[in-house]
């Protein structure tokens, strides 16, 4: 994976004061297999010298305006640098950029307010704005450090999830009763077993699989995407799992009984948002499995992917899906009328929901370990009775 990164984070002395701002998280990226870094400095690309007068975005202006500490308007140079950075990112094939926090070019979420008093306001630097508009995810070095720490703690030997480009590159997730892993060609018959059930496809919004080739095509075209997982039930010793040697190993599982994942939301132009989607084999209904799996995928999205928002939808008639969404703490947004055609061609309305990272974090802090307040995390007994 190619990742654009602010040159100063790699030790290049290109900041306004002629210094660099090396980041330990950036250094760790240099040692990751399969990761190639593309250094950029928008301000230098825009023709500004090193060193130069510090600049800030004027937060009082509705249109981008960048001024130097001496009061000079340097907006044109910052816009030119942003465009040059976008071209470099595009030529490098980068879908992710790690940029310097709080910078008037690279800031991600917080920038100085233009008073040169050290005050911060919500916002994005000139280059960060343009990259996000063009569909490039942008995180700063602080967000990167948090993501790397979370991934290393949970999956020390795996590629951090933020850099996964396929489902096979994503880490294996576990809950009390389930294993969530990539669906492979070897799972095609299991996938066909539940995707050929008309009660599953109709509720999820996709056509029934009529042949094994339909399921193989689903695995190749959809299930291979990053952050899409198969749902596998853990087997106990009574079910045939062999733990007699006492060795620590990956849990034994049964067949694939569904899928769950985070996919692009067709209703949002937000690079920091993904949509939760899922389906489950009918024999597994009523056990709380999808709530359990969804909660873990939500955690994964916020902690390991640094998402700002996760959305979810269901057809108006799908009360079972609605209960899962509500138990996971989503807030209802409303109804999108005639949103998409169902497999039979009729236009269906969608009930839409969202969950922000802030809401999820607040609920998690208020909770006992991974068993949050009544709104976000229902009790284990309640989940299993869904």
């Amino acid at each position: 994976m190619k990742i654009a990164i602010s040159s100063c984070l790699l030790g290049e002395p290109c900041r306004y004061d002629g210094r660099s701002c090396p980041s330990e998280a950036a250094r760790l990226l240099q040692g990751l297999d399969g990761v190639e870094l593309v250094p950029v400095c928008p301000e230098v690309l825009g023709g500004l010298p090193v060193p130069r007068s510090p600049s800030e975005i004027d937060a009082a202006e509705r249109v981008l305006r960048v001024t130097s500490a001496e009061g000079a308007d340097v907006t044109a140079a910052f816009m030119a640098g942003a465009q040059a950075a976008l071209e470099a990112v595009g030529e490098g094939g980068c879908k992710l950029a790690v940029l310097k926090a709080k910078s008037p070019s690279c800031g991600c979420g917080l920038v100085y307010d233009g008073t040169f008093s050290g005050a911060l306001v919500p916002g994005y630097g000139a280059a960060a704005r343009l990259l996000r508009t063009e569909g490039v995810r942008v995180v700063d070095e602080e967000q990167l450090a948090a993501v790397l720490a979370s991934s290393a703690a949970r999956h020390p030997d795996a590629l951090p999830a933020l850099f996964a480009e396929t489902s096979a590159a994503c880490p294996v997730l576990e809950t009390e009763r389930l294993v969530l892993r990539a669906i492979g060609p070897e799972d095609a018959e299991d996938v066909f077993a539940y995707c050929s059930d008309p009660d599953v496809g109709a509720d999820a919004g996709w056509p029934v699989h009529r042949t094994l080739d339909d399921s193989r095509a689903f695995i190749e075209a959809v299930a291979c995407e990053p952050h899409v997982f198969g749902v596998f039930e853990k087997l106990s010793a009574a079910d045939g799992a062999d733990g007699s040697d006492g060795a620590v190993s990956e849990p034994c599982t049964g067949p694939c009984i569904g899928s769950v994942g985070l996919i692009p939301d067709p209703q949002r132009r937000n690079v920091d948002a993904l949509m939760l989607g899922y389906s489950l084999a009918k024999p597994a209904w009523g056990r709380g499995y999808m709530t359990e799996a969804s909660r873990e995928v939500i955690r994964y999205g916020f902690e390991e992917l640094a998402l700002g928002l996760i959305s979810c939808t269901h057809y108006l008639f799908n009360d079972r899906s609605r209960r899962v969404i509500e138990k996971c703490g989503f807030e209802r947004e409303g109804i999108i009328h005639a949103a998409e055609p169902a497999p039979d061609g009729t236009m269906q309305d969608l009930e839409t929901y969202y969950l922000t990272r802030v809401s999820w974090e607040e609920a998690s802090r208020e909770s006992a370990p991974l068993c949050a307040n009544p709104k976000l995390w229902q009790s284990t007994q309640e989940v299993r009775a869904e």
Side-chain angles (χ1 to χ4, degrees):
M1 182 180 196
K2 290 187 176 182
I3 302 171
I5 186 166
S6 292
S7 300
C8 63
L9 297 177
L10 296 176
E12 180 69 23
C14 57
R15 279 168 44 97
Y16 73 92
D17 56 6
R19 302 170 62 185
S20 65
C21 191
S23 160
E24 176 62 17
R27 186 192 66 79
L28 292 174
L29 288 188
Q30 293 177 298
L32 285 178
D33 289 339
V35 171
E36 180 181 341
L37 301 181
V38 179
V40 293
C41 178
E43 294 173 28
V44 171
L45 290 172
L48 293 173
V50 180
R52 55 189 173 274
S53 176
S55 300
E56 294 186 3
I57 293 175
D58 188 343
E61 297 283 348
R62 296 189 65 183
V63 179
L64 177 66
R65 183 169 183 267
V66 189
T67 58
S68 71
E70 287 78 24
D73 188 329
V74 290
T75 307
F78 275 76
M79 292 181 68
Q83 184 61 44
L86 175 63
E87 292 172 3
V89 168
E91 291 172 1
C94 305
K95 298 179 181 178
L96 173 68
V98 179
L99 302 183
K100 180 69 188 79
K102 306 169 189 173
S103 155
S105 282
C106 300
C108 303
L110 287 173
V111 293
Y112 292 108
D113 68 353
T115 64
F116 296 90
S117 63
L120 292 166
V121 293
Y124 290 81
R129 295 182 188 189
L130 185 57
L131 290 175
R132 285 165 53 83
T133 299
E134 296 300 320
V136 178
R137 275 212 74 191
V138 174
V139 298
D140 62 32
E141 73 274 22
E142 296 167 5
Q143 293 169 309
L144 175 65
V147 163
L148 293 181
S150 177
S151 292
R154 291 181 175 269
H155 325 288
D157 299 322
L159 178 74
L162 186 62
F163 312 134
E165 296 185 277
T166 65
S167 58
C170 293
V172 175
L173 308 180
E174 287 190 43
T175 68
E176 179 186 357
R177 299 176 294 165
L178 304 170
V179 171
L180 310 179
R181 66 157 175 83
I183 300 175
E186 69 278 8
D187 302 308
E189 292 186 3
D190 298 340
V191 171
F192 179 71
Y194 74 84
C195 288
S196 59
D197 185 334
D199 288 338
V200 174
D203 286 354
W206 35 260
V208 169
H209 291 195
R210 298 185 180 277
T211 68
L212 192 57
D213 284 341
D214 291 340
S215 297
R216 293 191 180 106
F218 164 77
I219 293 172
E220 293 176 2
V222 179
C224 67
E225 291 296 308
H227 322 308
V228 175
F229 304 90
V231 179
F232 299 81
E233 186 177 16
K234 291 180 180 178
L235 296 180
S236 65
D239 295 322
D242 183 7
S244 59
D245 60 3
V248 177
S249 60
E250 292 189 4
C252 295
T253 61
C256 181
I257 58 171
S259 62
V260 61
L262 296 170
I263 60 177
D265 184 341
Q267 310 300 334
R268 285 180 165 84
R269 292 181 60 236
N270 181 350
V271 292
D272 294 324
L274 289 175
M275 183 172 70
L276 177 69
Y278 47 77
S279 62
L280 188 67
K282 194 171 182 179
W285 291 2
R287 303 183 192 180
Y289 280 170
M290 195 44 68
T291 301
E292 186 174 322
S294 294
R295 289 178 174 176
E296 173 59 13
V297 170
I298 290 167
R299 180 211 62 77
Y300 168 86
F302 288 133
E303 286 189 356
E304 300 188 48
L305 301 181
L307 296 178
L309 181 144
I310 296 174
S311 61
C312 198
T313 66
H314 68 79
Y315 290 153
L316 301 192
F317 60 79
N318 194 345
D319 286 336
R320 188 177 298 275
S321 185
R322 176 184 56 78
R323 290 195 294 271
V324 170
I325 293 169
E326 290 175 347
K327 289 178 181 180
C328 288
F330 284 84
E331 296 284 346
R332 182 180 180 273
E333 286 184 300
I335 296 175
I336 302 177
H337 295 282
E340 63 184 37
D344 63 2
T346 59
M347 297 304 297
Q348 291 289 334
D349 296 345
L350 285 176
E351 194 97 31
T352 67
Y353 301 78
Y354 73 99
L355 178 62
T356 67
R357 179 188 181 91
V358 172
S359 296
W360 179 82
E361 288 178 335
E362 288 176 351
S364 298
R365 282 195 297 269
E366 294 170 2
S367 68
L370 291 187
C371 198
N373 64 32
K375 182 177 181 182
L376 188 54
W377 306 115
Q378 306 295 327
S379 69
T380 302
Q381 291 75 20
E382 187 176 340
V383 168
R384 292 181 179 179
E386 68 182 18

